[in-house]
Amino acid sequence: MGRIVITGGAGFLGSHLCDRFLARGDEVVALDNLSTGSVTNIEHLFGRSGFTFVEQDVSQFVWVPGPVDAVLHFASPASPVDYLELPIQTLKVGSLGTHNTLGLAKAKGARYLLASTSEVYGDPEVHPQPESYWGHVNPIGPRGVYDEAKRFGEAMTMAYHRSHGLDVRIVRIFNVYGPRMRPQDGRVVSNFLVQALKGEPLTVYGDGSQTRSFCYVDDEIEGFLALLEADTTGPLNIGNPGEFTVLELAELVLEVTGSSSEIVHEPLPVDDPRVRKPDLTRTRAILGWEPKIDLREGLVRTAAYFRTCLGQDPPA
Ligand code: NAD
Ligand code: UDP
C-alpha cells in the first residue's frame, strides 16, 4: 500500500490509473488542470476514502503535503488535435511539468514513472520499433511540440536518475483506446466510433494505408503497474502489437457498430507517421506482460461507452 500522485489524473489514462490504484488499496492524489480532462472521469471517486483531487497546473511549482511513494507524470495533451491547439502548454507540461514532478519525487524519496510515447520514434524508419531505436522526428513540424517535449522529458528523467539516484521508470505508450476517451478528442478510434454511431461518414485521412497498433485501456494499465513494480528504468514499449491500417480499422468499426456510414477521405496531417507497431521483445522479457483484449472485443466495449455518451440504447 502506498500514496500515489497521478498528474493528469482526470484524463483518460490518468482516471483509469486512479481507479486501479484505489482498488489495490493505495491512496491517490490526482493533480489536473482540466485542460483536456474532465471531472466526469473521476466524479465517482469523490468522497471515497483515500482519494484526493487537486486542480493544478503542473507546469507551475508542484507541492503535495505528506508522504508520497510514487509520482506518475501523465499530464499532457495527448491527441494530435489537442496538442496542435495547445502547442506551448504541451511543450511546457512535457518539460517544466516533468522537471517539477521529478523535483517532487526527489523531495519525497518517491519512485517516478514518466508517461512517454511512441511519438518519440517520429515517422519511424525502423519497423516495428524497439526501444533502442532513436527515432525520426521533425523538431520544427507541428507534431514537434509533443514529440520533442516527450523526448526532453525522457532526457530529464534519466538525468535525475543519473545525477540524483532517483528511482525512475519510463514507459513509451502506443495508441490506447477505451471508455473515457472524449467523443470529440480527434483521435482515430473515438472519431470513427462516434461517426459510425451517429451515422456520419468516417473520415479516413489520406488513403488509409498508414498503420497503428491499438491497445485496450485495461491491458495498458496492467502494463503500467507491472513496469512500476519491475526492476528497470526502461524505457519500455507498452502497447498491443496487432497492427492495422486505418482503413482496416474503419471497416472493423463499421462491422462492430452495425453502421452503414460511408467512408470518406480527407487530407493526411503533416508528418503523420506511416507505420507504428511496438517491438515488445524487451517488455516481454522484463515484465512478462502481454495484452489480452483484441481490437474487435475492445471496440465492442468502447462502442458501448460511446453509445451511453450519445444517449443511445444498447443494440437489441
Ligand atoms: P488526456 O488528454 O485524456 O489526459 C491528459 C490529462 O492531463 C488531462 O486530464 C489534462 O487536463 C491534464 N493536463 C494537461 N496539461 C496539464 C497541466 N499542465 N497540468 C495539469 N494537468 C494537465 O490524455 P491521455 O490519453 O489520458 O494521455 C495521458 C498521458 O499518456 C499523456 O502524457 C500522453 O502523452 C500519454 N500517452 C497517451 C497515449 C494514448 O494513446 N492515450 C499514447 C501515448 C502517450
Ligand atoms: N486518422 C484518420 N481519421 C481521423 C483521425 C485520425 O484517418 O478521423 C488517422 C491519423 O491521420 C493517423 C491515425 O489515424 O494516421 C491515428 O491518428 P490519431 O489521431 O488517433 O493518433 P496518432 O497515432 O497519429 O498520434
Side-chain angles (χ1 to χ4, degrees):
M1 308 296 158
R3 190 157 182 261
I4 318 289
V5 171
I6 303 174
T7 77
F12 165 47
L13 296 181
S15 64
H16 284 280
L17 278 168
C18 292
D19 287 344
R20 189 66 183 79
F21 280 107
L22 288 166
R24 212 177 71 162
D26 297 293
E27 284 180 44
V28 169
V29 181
L31 309 179
D32 201 297
N33 70 352
L34 302 178
S35 56
T36 60
S38 168
V39 285
T40 59
N41 289 332
I42 48 169
E43 63 190 355
H44 59 288
L45 300 176
F46 289 144
R48 178 164 167 170
S49 129
F51 180 70
T52 308
F53 172 67
V54 183
E55 187 172 342
Q56 182 174 352
D57 180 351
V58 299
S59 299
Q60 310 285 333
F61 178 75
V62 178
W63 185 247
V64 173
V68 175
D69 298 295
V71 176
L72 279 62
H73 182 37
F74 277 69
S76 172
S79 151
V81 169
D82 287 338
Y83 62 71
L84 296 178
E85 268 173 20
L86 300 166
I88 296 168
Q89 293 92 326
T90 300
L91 279 159
K92 285 173 74 173
V93 75
S95 55
L96 306 177
T98 302
H99 189 205
N100 290 335
T101 51
L102 282 164
L104 175 68
K106 177 169 166 267
K108 300 288 184 179
R111 186 167 287 179
Y112 186 84
L113 173 66
L114 176 71
S116 185
T117 168
S118 54
E119 281 280 323
V120 300
Y121 302 123
D123 187 8
E125 293 163 310
V126 172
H127 190 67
Q129 295 79 53
E131 293 86 350
S132 54
Y133 176 48
W134 291 355
H136 181 229
V137 169
N138 175 5
I140 58 166
R143 298 175 86 100
V145 298
Y146 182 69
D147 304 8
E148 295 295 6
K150 291 290 186 180
R151 289 167 69 96
F152 176 92
E154 288 198 10
M156 186 61 110
T157 299
M158 289 311 294
Y160 264 66
H161 174 64
R162 294 194 181 104
S163 300
H164 297 308
L166 195 71
D167 184 17
V168 305
R169 309 280 184 279
I170 297 172
V171 54
R172 292 186 178 153
I173 306 169
F174 285 64
N175 297 58
V176 189
Y177 68 100
R180 300 194 194 145
M181 295 185 89
R182 278 177 10 255
Q184 311 301 336
D185 84 352
R187 288 187 264 201
V188 68
V189 173
S190 37
N191 271 9
F192 285 179
L193 280 171
V194 170
Q195 289 162 344
L197 293 172
K198 286 177 154 179
E200 294 171 355
L202 271 58
T203 53
V204 168
Y205 301 160
D207 63 7
S209 64
Q210 69 272 32
T211 69
R212 295 293 186 273
S213 305
F214 301 98
C215 190
Y216 189 68
V217 62
D218 291 359
D219 282 336
E220 190 77 24
I221 297 289
E222 290 312 310
F224 297 157
L225 265 76
L227 174 56
L228 194 64
E229 303 305 335
D231 184 19
T232 181
T233 59
L236 286 187
N237 292 332
I238 296 192
N240 191 313
E243 184 182 14
F244 295 81
T245 68
V246 166
L247 207 49
E248 285 169 341
L249 174 70
E251 281 156 4
L252 194 54
V253 164
L254 292 178
E255 195 186 310
V256 303
T257 55
S259 168
S260 51
S261 289
E262 58 172 337
I263 291 175
V264 298
H265 291 267
E266 293 189 359
L268 194 65
V270 175
D271 294 336
D272 197 285
R274 291 291 316 153
V275 289
R276 181 181 291 158
K277 170 181 167 145
D279 180 329
L280 292 181
T281 310
R282 271 175 63 93
T283 302
R284 286 184 177 120
I286 295 172
L287 303 185
W289 170 87
E290 197 73 44
K292 298 191 175 73
I293 298 163
D294 70 14
L295 185 56
R296 179 185 299 271
E297 170 61 19
L299 287 175
V300 168
R301 296 186 193 187
T302 311
Y305 170 77
F306 282 126
R307 274 199 184 92
T308 308
C309 294
L310 297 172
Q312 295 182 359
D313 292 331

